[in-house]
Amino acid sequence: MRILKSRAVRAVTAALAVGMIATGCASERGKDGDKGGAKDTFVFAGAGDPGSLDPALASDGETFRVTRQAFEALLEHESGGSELVGGLAEKWSSDPAGKVWTFNLRKGVKFHDGEPFNAAAVCANYDHWFNWTGTYQSSAVSYYWQSIMGGFAKNEDKEAPKPNYKSCTAKDENTAVIEVHEASANLPGGFSLQALAIHSPKAIKEYEKQAASGTGDAITYPKYSQEAGTVAGTGPYKIVKWNKGNKEVTLERFDDYWGEKAKVKNLVFRTIATEEGRRQALQAGDIDGYDLVSPADVKTLEKEGFEVPTRDVFNIFYLGMTQEKNPALKKPEVRQAIAHAIDRENIVKTQLPEGGKVATQFMPDTVAGWSDKVKQYPHDTNKAKQLLAGAGESKLKIEFCYPTEVTRPYMPAPQDIFEQMKADLEKAGITVTPKPMKWAPDYLDATETGACALHMLGWTGDFNDGYNFIGTWFAGYDKQWGFKEPAVFDAVTGASKVTDPAQRVAAYKAANEKIMEYLPGLPISSSPPAIAFGKNVNPPKVSPLTQENFAEVSFK
């Protein structure tokens, strides 16, 4: 979203965007029509640009939506669901201690560059990530590796976590064994992540000739990750072009794919930043589908004959507070005041689709471990003022970052939500300095490195375990939050090590209660995001994890 404009200006902007989209698609539509045959290009609109063509360097859904079509991990999730199933590994198992994981790999799989997939390729990937150095060790670049596997062969940053990855061994051509130092609730789910999807060893050798550079929110990603031609996975599509000027990535069906071939030859992902622009482009026939449908548009589109399936709730939206960026946030009373100042009910009522809920903790109530005993912070402007006065912060000034050119499943209209929060905070006497930032990579990098005092972010679960939510943020020191509270860290990490399922759920509940007592940030809401498809489209199964497989798409 852009800086707040009047409704009329936004409508003009959207109309202009649709006009440009129609022009850009004319040759594709003509090409299909001239053939007199079936349409062979499916165009899908997202709300933001991908940050990288190498998913290992990413942590955002817009990137993963693209790369998921080209790269596969050892494990995947069932189509349209959250149950783990075989990916590049047909079967998997662990020893009783949860430290040795054995993968029986699929045979006859090829990478897009013609190289064979085998156990040696699996180990080449894991050892490549483990041996990252320099800027690659920044949490903004290697976020998921650090979340799942810890640090590196040689940690260069004192804040990097202790490495949990131990080794990968090719037991034979079709058997890979990955060992970790300690059992983790992140496994086996972590083996399904796009950030740990498997690349061609030949491509990895090219990757290693380049390096990321920069620090904080000024990181330069390696050239290979910013243009097509080098990256190579095993998925049903291969990436053939990234036209940044037209904000679109083009993929082509991989005819040597080991599984069921993609039904449509060409797949194009295009960025259309505004909700109005995406909707009007679909209605005009310039795109074939788009994500993050505005709640107000769902019934309209359905009446017009479009398919608008809704995903199940599996996300959390929150207001982040970075204590090291603004010392006032180190005071519990200030964090509590901010929590009481925000009218979350109003945000849910005005900004979210039907089925949206106010969040009381950092996981949705659809995940085992959600607690009904957490401390509550109801909207109360007067109480917020009293807490600020008691903390000596009646004239608090604070910078508030928010993202532009993006819509997320948990955050349908970032700027509108920001404006509501800003107004709520100002009613409590807090002076807010807005800081809009482009979503990828600027905003993501800035929030990951703790450059924003207040910020809006969220999380759609990667796999179905409570630790994938609270462990994402609170298992140890994280620059995004900038606090060190052993009681919180111990509660979360302790829960992750409990092996009995029932006891682990109880431990997650206790951890949620500890987190909300400390209040590092404010959970805002959970919502069921909708996705739309053209009248002539047979859509893929929609995923609560937003992991749609576009190889399932076909035209009627």
Side-chain angles (χ1 to χ4, degrees), residues 317 319 336-352 357-359 377-381 384 400 416-428 522-525:
F317 171 54
L319 174 66
Q336 292 166 14
I338 291 172
H340 284 295
I342 302 297
D343 188 348
R344 291 177 285 173
E345 290 280 0
N346 186 45
I347 292 172
V348 169
K349 181 180 179 180
T350 61
Q351 300 295 333
L352 299 187
K357 300 179 181 179
V358 170
Y377 300 89
H379 175 53
D380 189 332
T381 302
F400 193 153
D416 293 345
I417 296 173
F418 163 77
E419 294 292 349
Q420 286 186 230
M421 289 191 190
K422 177 176 179 287
D424 289 341
L425 294 171
E426 289 178 339
K427 287 177 184 177
L522 181 66
I524 302 294
S525 57

Coordinates of all heavy atoms in Angstrom, one line a residue, residues 317 319 336-352 357-359 377-381 384 400 416-428 522-525:
F317 N -1.3 -12.1 13.3 CA -0.8 -10.7 12.9 C -0.5 -10.0 14.2 O -1.3 -10.1 15.2 CB -1.9 -10.0 12.2 CG -1.7 -8.5 11.9 CD1 -0.5 -8.1 11.3 CD2 -2.6 -7.6 12.3 CE1 -0.3 -6.8 11.1 CE2 -2.4 -6.3 12.0 CZ -1.3 -5.8 11.5
L319 N 1.7 -6.6 16.4 CA 2.4 -5.3 16.5 C 3.7 -5.6 17.2 O 3.7 -6.0 18.4 CB 1.6 -4.3 17.3 CG 2.4 -3.0 17.6 CD1 2.6 -2.2 16.3 CD2 1.5 -2.1 18.5
Q336 N 2.5 -2.3 28.0 CA 1.1 -2.5 28.4 C 0.3 -1.4 28.0 O -0.9 -1.6 27.5 CB 1.1 -2.7 29.9 CG 1.7 -4.0 30.5 CD 1.9 -4.0 32.0 OE1 1.3 -3.1 32.7 NE2 2.7 -4.9 32.5
A337 N 0.8 -0.2 28.1 CA 0.0 1.0 27.6 C -0.3 0.9 26.1 O -1.4 1.2 25.7 CB 0.8 2.3 27.9
I338 N 0.7 0.5 25.3 CA 0.5 0.4 23.9 C -0.6 -0.7 23.6 O -1.5 -0.5 22.8 CB 1.8 0.1 23.2 CG1 2.7 1.3 23.3 CG2 1.6 -0.4 21.8 CD1 4.2 1.0 22.8
A339 N -0.5 -1.8 24.4 CA -1.5 -2.9 24.2 C -2.9 -2.4 24.5 O -3.8 -2.7 23.8 CB -1.1 -4.0 25.1
H340 N -3.1 -1.6 25.6 CA -4.4 -1.1 25.9 C -4.9 -0.1 25.0 O -6.1 0.1 24.8 CB -4.4 -0.6 27.4 CG -4.4 -1.7 28.4 ND1 -5.4 -2.5 28.6 CD2 -3.5 -2.0 29.4 CE1 -5.2 -3.4 29.6 NE2 -4.0 -3.0 30.1
A341 N -4.0 0.7 24.4 CA -4.3 1.8 23.5 C -4.9 1.2 22.2 O -5.8 1.9 21.6 CB -3.1 2.6 23.2
I342 N -4.5 0.1 21.7 CA -4.9 -0.4 20.4 C -6.3 -1.1 20.4 O -6.5 -2.0 21.2 CB -3.9 -1.5 19.8 CG1 -2.5 -0.8 19.7 CG2 -4.3 -2.0 18.5 CD1 -2.4 0.3 18.7
D343 N -7.2 -0.6 19.6 CA -8.5 -1.2 19.5 C -8.5 -2.3 18.5 O -8.8 -2.2 17.3 CB -9.5 -0.1 19.1 CG -11.0 -0.6 19.2 OD1 -11.2 -1.8 19.4 OD2 -11.9 0.3 19.1
R344 N -8.2 -3.5 19.0 CA -8.1 -4.7 18.1 C -9.4 -5.1 17.6 O -9.5 -5.6 16.4 CB -7.4 -5.8 18.9 CG -5.9 -5.5 19.1 CD -5.3 -6.7 19.9 NE -5.7 -6.6 21.3 CZ -5.4 -7.6 22.2 NH1 -4.7 -8.6 21.9 NH2 -5.7 -7.4 23.5
E345 N -10.5 -5.0 18.4 CA -11.8 -5.4 17.9 C -12.2 -4.5 16.7 O -12.8 -5.1 15.7 CB -12.9 -5.1 19.0 CG -12.8 -6.1 20.2 CD -13.4 -7.4 19.9 OE1 -13.9 -7.6 18.8 OE2 -13.4 -8.3 20.8
N346 N -11.9 -3.3 16.7 CA -12.2 -2.4 15.5 C -11.4 -2.8 14.3 O -11.9 -2.8 13.2 CB -11.9 -1.0 15.9 CG -12.4 0.0 14.8 OD1 -13.5 -0.1 14.3 ND2 -11.5 0.9 14.5
I347 N -10.1 -3.2 14.5 CA -9.3 -3.7 13.4 C -9.9 -4.9 12.7 O -10.1 -5.0 11.5 CB -7.9 -3.9 13.8 CG1 -7.2 -2.6 14.2 CG2 -7.1 -4.7 12.7 CD1 -5.8 -2.8 14.8
V348 N -10.3 -5.9 13.6 CA -10.9 -7.1 13.1 C -12.2 -6.8 12.4 O -12.5 -7.3 11.3 CB -11.2 -8.1 14.2 CG1 -12.0 -9.3 13.8 CG2 -9.8 -8.6 14.8
K349 N -13.0 -5.9 13.0 CA -14.4 -5.6 12.4 C -14.3 -4.9 11.1 O -15.1 -5.2 10.2 CB -15.1 -4.8 13.4 CG -16.5 -4.4 13.0 CD -17.2 -3.5 14.0 CE -18.6 -3.1 13.6 NZ -19.3 -2.3 14.6
T350 N -13.3 -4.0 10.9 CA -13.3 -3.2 9.7 C -12.3 -3.6 8.7 O -12.4 -3.2 7.5 CB -12.9 -1.7 10.1 OG1 -11.6 -1.7 10.7 CG2 -13.9 -1.1 11.1
Q351 N -11.3 -4.4 9.0 CA -10.2 -4.8 8.1 C -10.1 -6.2 7.7 O -9.5 -6.5 6.7 CB -8.9 -4.3 8.7 CG -8.7 -2.9 9.0 CD -8.8 -2.0 7.7 OE1 -8.4 -2.4 6.7 NE2 -9.2 -0.8 7.9
L352 N -10.7 -7.1 8.4 CA -10.5 -8.5 8.2 C -11.8 -9.2 7.6 O -12.9 -8.7 7.8 CB -10.2 -9.3 9.5 CG -8.9 -8.8 10.2 CD1 -8.6 -9.8 11.3 CD2 -7.7 -8.8 9.2
K357 N -10.6 -13.1 13.9 CA -10.7 -13.0 15.3 C -9.6 -12.2 16.0 O -8.5 -12.1 15.4 CB -10.5 -14.5 15.9 CG -11.6 -15.5 15.4 CD -11.3 -16.8 16.0 CE -12.3 -17.9 15.5 NZ -12.0 -19.2 16.1
V358 N -9.9 -11.6 17.1 CA -8.9 -10.9 17.9 C -8.0 -12.0 18.5 O -8.4 -13.0 19.0 CB -9.5 -10.1 19.0 CG1 -8.5 -9.6 20.0 CG2 -10.3 -8.9 18.5
A359 N -6.7 -11.8 18.4 CA -5.7 -12.7 18.9 C -5.4 -12.4 20.4 O -5.2 -11.2 20.7 CB -4.4 -12.7 18.1
Y377 N -5.4 -7.8 27.6 CA -5.1 -6.4 27.5 C -6.2 -5.7 26.7 O -6.0 -5.3 25.6 CB -3.8 -6.1 26.9 CG -2.6 -6.8 27.7 CD1 -2.2 -8.1 27.4 CD2 -2.0 -6.1 28.7 CE1 -1.2 -8.7 28.1 CE2 -1.0 -6.7 29.4 CZ -0.6 -8.0 29.1 OH 0.5 -8.5 29.9
P378 N -7.4 -5.6 27.3 CA -8.6 -5.0 26.6 C -8.3 -3.5 26.2 O -7.6 -2.8 26.9 CB -9.7 -5.1 27.5 CG -9.1 -5.2 28.9 CD -7.8 -5.9 28.7
H379 N -9.0 -3.0 25.2 CA -8.8 -1.6 24.8 C -9.3 -0.7 25.9 O -10.5 -0.8 26.3 CB -9.7 -1.4 23.5 CG -9.7 0.0 23.0 ND1 -8.5 0.7 22.8 CD2 -10.7 0.8 22.7 CE1 -8.9 1.9 22.4 NE2 -10.2 2.0 22.3
D380 N -8.5 0.2 26.3 CA -8.8 1.1 27.4 C -7.8 2.3 27.3 O -6.7 2.3 27.8 CB -8.7 0.4 28.7 CG -9.2 1.3 29.9 OD1 -9.2 2.5 29.8 OD2 -9.6 0.7 30.9
T381 N -8.2 3.4 26.6 CA -7.4 4.5 26.4 C -7.0 5.2 27.7 O -5.8 5.6 27.8 CB -8.1 5.5 25.4 OG1 -8.4 4.9 24.2 CG2 -7.2 6.7 25.2
A384 N -4.3 3.3 29.3 CA -3.0 3.5 28.6 C -2.4 4.8 29.1 O -1.1 4.8 29.3 CB -3.3 3.5 27.1
F400 N 7.3 4.4 13.9 CA 6.4 3.2 13.6 C 6.6 2.9 12.1 O 6.2 3.6 11.3 CB 4.9 3.6 13.9 CG 4.0 2.4 13.9 CD1 2.8 2.5 14.7 CD2 4.2 1.3 13.2 CE1 1.9 1.5 14.7 CE2 3.3 0.2 13.2 CZ 2.1 0.3 14.0
D416 N -4.0 1.0 5.9 CA -5.2 1.3 6.6 C -5.1 0.8 8.0 O -5.6 1.5 8.9 CB -6.4 0.6 5.9 CG -6.7 1.2 4.5 OD1 -6.2 2.3 4.2 OD2 -7.4 0.5 3.7
I417 N -4.5 -0.4 8.2 CA -4.4 -0.9 9.6 C -3.4 0.0 10.4 O -3.7 0.4 11.6 CB -3.9 -2.3 9.6 CG1 -4.9 -3.2 8.9 CG2 -3.6 -2.8 11.0 CD1 -4.5 -4.7 8.7
F418 N -2.3 0.4 9.7 CA -1.4 1.3 10.4 C -2.1 2.6 10.8 O -1.9 3.1 11.9 CB -0.2 1.7 9.4 CG 0.6 2.9 9.8 CD1 1.5 2.8 10.9 CD2 0.3 4.1 9.2 CE1 2.2 3.9 11.3 CE2 1.0 5.2 9.6 CZ 2.0 5.1 10.7
E419 N -2.9 3.2 9.9 CA -3.5 4.5 10.3 C -4.5 4.3 11.5 O -4.6 5.2 12.3 CB -4.3 5.0 9.1 CG -3.5 5.4 7.9 CD -2.7 6.6 8.1 OE1 -2.9 7.3 9.2 OE2 -1.8 6.9 7.3
Q420 N -5.1 3.2 11.6 CA -6.0 2.9 12.7 C -5.2 2.8 14.0 O -5.5 3.4 15.1 CB -6.8 1.6 12.5 CG -7.9 1.8 11.5 CD -8.8 0.6 11.5 OE1 -9.1 0.1 10.4 NE2 -9.3 0.1 12.6
M421 N -4.0 2.1 14.0 CA -3.2 1.9 15.1 C -2.6 3.3 15.5 O -2.5 3.6 16.7 CB -2.1 0.9 14.9 CG -2.5 -0.5 14.8 SD -1.0 -1.6 14.8 CE -1.8 -3.1 14.4
K422 N -2.2 4.1 14.5 CA -1.6 5.4 14.8 C -2.6 6.3 15.5 O -2.3 6.9 16.5 CB -1.1 6.0 13.5 CG -0.6 7.4 13.6 CD -0.1 7.9 12.2 CE 0.5 9.3 12.3 NZ -0.6 10.3 12.4
A423 N -3.8 6.3 15.0 CA -4.9 7.1 15.7 C -5.1 6.6 17.1 O -5.3 7.5 18.0 CB -6.2 7.0 14.8
D424 N -5.1 5.3 17.3 CA -5.3 4.8 18.7 C -4.2 5.2 19.6 O -4.5 5.6 20.8 CB -5.4 3.3 18.7 CG -6.7 2.7 18.0 OD1 -7.7 3.5 17.9 OD2 -6.7 1.6 17.6
L425 N -3.0 5.1 19.2 CA -1.8 5.5 20.0 C -1.8 7.0 20.3 O -1.5 7.4 21.4 CB -0.5 5.1 19.3 CG -0.3 3.6 19.1 CD1 0.9 3.3 18.2 CD2 -0.1 2.9 20.5
E426 N -2.2 7.8 19.3 CA -2.2 9.2 19.5 C -3.3 9.7 20.5 O -3.1 10.6 21.2 CB -2.4 9.9 18.2 CG -1.1 9.8 17.3 CD -1.2 10.5 15.9 OE1 -2.4 10.6 15.5 OE2 -0.2 10.7 15.3
K427 N -4.4 8.9 20.5 CA -5.5 9.2 21.5 C -4.9 9.0 22.9 O -5.4 9.6 23.9 CB -6.7 8.3 21.3 CG -7.5 8.7 20.0 CD -8.6 7.7 19.8 CE -9.4 8.0 18.6 NZ -10.4 6.9 18.3
A428 N -4.0 8.1 23.1 CA -3.4 7.8 24.4 C -2.2 8.8 24.7 O -1.6 8.7 25.7 CB -2.9 6.4 24.4
L522 N 2.3 -7.1 20.8 CA 0.9 -7.3 20.9 C 0.3 -8.1 19.8 O 0.3 -7.7 18.6 CB 0.2 -5.9 20.9 CG -1.3 -6.0 21.1 CD1 -1.7 -6.5 22.5 CD2 -1.9 -4.6 20.9
P523 N -0.2 -9.3 20.0 CA -0.9 -10.1 19.0 C -2.2 -9.3 18.7 O -2.9 -8.9 19.6 CB -1.2 -11.4 19.7 CG -0.3 -11.5 20.9 CD -0.1 -10.1 21.3
I524 N -2.5 -9.2 17.4 CA -3.6 -8.4 16.9 C -4.8 -9.3 16.5 O -5.9 -9.2 17.0 CB -3.3 -7.5 15.8 CG1 -2.1 -6.5 16.2 CG2 -4.5 -6.7 15.3 CD1 -2.5 -5.5 17.3
S525 N -4.5 -10.2 15.6 CA -5.6 -11.0 15.0 C -5.2 -12.2 14.3 O -4.0 -12.4 14.0 CB -6.4 -10.1 14.0 OG -5.5 -9.6 13.0

